[in-house]
Amino acid sequence: MSLISCDKVTKIYKMAEVQIRALSDIKLEIFSSQFVSFVGPSGSGKTTMLNLFGCLDKPTSGDIRVMDTDIVKLNYVERAKFRGEHLGFIFQNFNLIPVLTVYENVEYPLVMVKSLPREEREKKVLSLLDEVEMLDQKDKMINQISGGQKQRAAIARALTTDPKIVLADEPTANLDHDSAYKVIHLMKKLSRKIGTTFIFSTHDPKIVKEIDIIYTLEDGVLVNRQEKK
Ligand code: ADP
Ligand code: MG
C-alpha cells in the first residue's frame, strides 16, 4: 500500500488580479522507507507540493491520500491532529528554540504531544541524539553549534514522535557543501534503518546524486520520475 498517493492534483493560488497555477495535474505514489526528493528551479512548485503533503494547505482540485487518509477532506483541527500523529517537519532555517539546549529542543515535541514517562522520554531523546551524532553536543545552546549541527538536531527533533513521514523543504539550503552532504546521508541512513519516509526538496545538483527517487518539477508540472536501482 502506498504511503502517499496523489491523483490529478492541481493548486492554483488566486490573487486579486491573477491566478498562479503552482501545480498541474500531479499524479504520483510514494511508499514506506523511501528517500524521495522534489527538484526543480525556484518557483517550480516544490514548496507547494510539500505543503500539501504536510496538510498545511489544500489542493484546488484532485485527491491526496496520506496513510490511507483522504487529507483533502480533513478540517483545520483534524489536519493539525494528523500532523502531530503522523508527520515530522524539518525546515530550511532549522526553527530550533534558541533559549533551550540541544537536548531540550529534541525533547520538546515529546513534552508537548505525548505523555511518556520521564525515563522513557530521556532514553528516546538520547538514542536519537546518538543516531544524528549529536550526543556530545546535547547540553549546548543553539547559538553555540554550527548550521550542520543545528540541522542534525532538527532531524532528531522531527523523529521524536515516530512519524511515518518526515517532510523537509530545502533542508540544506543554508548549509555549506560538507554539512549538506552529511545531513542528506543521515536522512538516507535513517530512512533505511527506522523505515521513516523522508521527502524533501532541493535545487542543489550536488545533492541530487544521493537521492533514491527524484521527482522533477517544471512550472508546476511533474516532468520526470527517476529511481535509482
Ligand atoms: P518552489 O518551492 O519550487 O520555489 P513554490 O511552490 O514556492 O515553488 O511556488 C510555485 C509558484 O506558486 C510560484 O510561481 C510562486 O510564486 C507561487 N506561489 C507560491 N506560494 C504562493 C502564495 N501563497 N500565493 C501566491 N502565489 C504563490
Ligand atoms: Mg520553495
Side-chain angles (χ1 to χ4, degrees):
M1 193 189 71
S2 58
L3 207 54
I4 295 183
S5 68
C6 282
D7 195 22
K8 299 192 183 74
V9 168
T10 293
K11 176 71 183 180
I12 297 169
Y13 292 108
K14 295 188 175 84
M15 303 196 288
E17 301 279 307
V18 286
Q19 295 196 346
I20 295 172
R21 187 176 267 267
L23 291 173
S24 282
D25 204 17
I26 304 289
K27 183 179 173 67
L28 57 83
E29 269 188 295
I30 293 170
F31 294 87
S32 191
S33 309
Q34 287 186 333
F35 188 57
V36 180
S37 184
F38 285 83
V39 303
S42 180
S44 58
K46 305 181 296 296
T47 297
T48 303
M49 191 79 258
L50 292 185
N51 285 349
L52 294 180
F53 294 156
C55 305
L56 297 165
D57 202 356
K58 288 190 175 197
T60 308
S61 60
D63 300 319
I64 309 177
R65 299 186 76 82
V66 180
M67 299 176 63
D68 224 22
T69 300
D70 181 350
I71 59 163
V72 181
K73 289 213 179 81
L74 301 182
N75 66 29
Y76 185 80
V77 175
E78 290 165 338
R79 281 193 280 160
K81 185 165 179 280
F82 189 85
R83 279 198 296 274
E85 284 176 355
H86 304 298
L87 308 177
F89 292 87
I90 297 168
F91 304 90
Q92 182 176 330
N93 57 358
F94 323 120
N95 284 16
L96 296 163
I97 302 170
V99 295
L100 300 180
T101 63
V102 167
Y103 179 95
E104 288 163 342
N105 266 278
V106 175
E107 183 190 37
Y108 191 72
L110 284 180
V111 180
M112 299 304 289
V113 181
K114 288 182 184 169
S115 48
L116 267 188
R118 214 182 94 85
E119 311 80 68
E120 275 184 50
R121 208 162 70 209
E122 190 175 309
K123 207 170 125 197
K124 174 124 216 171
V125 173
L126 292 176
S127 112
L128 281 169
L129 283 170
D130 192 23
E131 289 289 359
V132 300
E133 296 164 35
M134 284 292 288
L135 211 44
D136 56 343
Q137 307 291 318
K138 73 179 172 59
D139 296 321
K140 290 211 175 138
M141 300 304 287
I142 299 307
N143 64 8
Q144 293 176 296
I145 61 174
S146 71
Q149 291 174 324
K150 284 179 192 166
Q151 202 56 306
R152 274 148 50 207
I155 292 172
R157 178 186 58 181
L159 292 169
T160 46
T161 54
D162 298 320
K164 290 296 288 176
I165 301 166
V166 171
L167 298 164
D169 195 7
E170 309 243 10
T172 60
N174 288 340
L175 302 179
D176 62 78
H177 179 60
D178 285 352
S179 306
Y181 219 67
K182 193 158 182 186
V183 160
I184 293 299
H185 272 280
L186 200 58
M187 294 199 296
K188 193 168 170 175
K189 177 191 94 176
L190 290 166
S191 70
R192 286 170 176 58
K193 188 168 174 187
I194 61 178
T196 306
T197 294
F198 282 83
I199 305 172
F200 66 105
S201 65
T202 182
H203 60 255
D204 182 348
K206 294 189 294 295
I207 278 174
V208 171
K209 292 199 286 289
E210 303 297 315
I211 305 161
D212 295 340
I213 298 173
I214 303 167
Y215 287 101
T216 307
L217 287 169
E218 267 173 30
D219 294 328
V221 177
L222 200 54
V223 293
N224 190 34
R225 179 189 188 279
Q226 190 189 334
E227 178 163 1
K228 278 207 203 111
K229 292 292 170 227

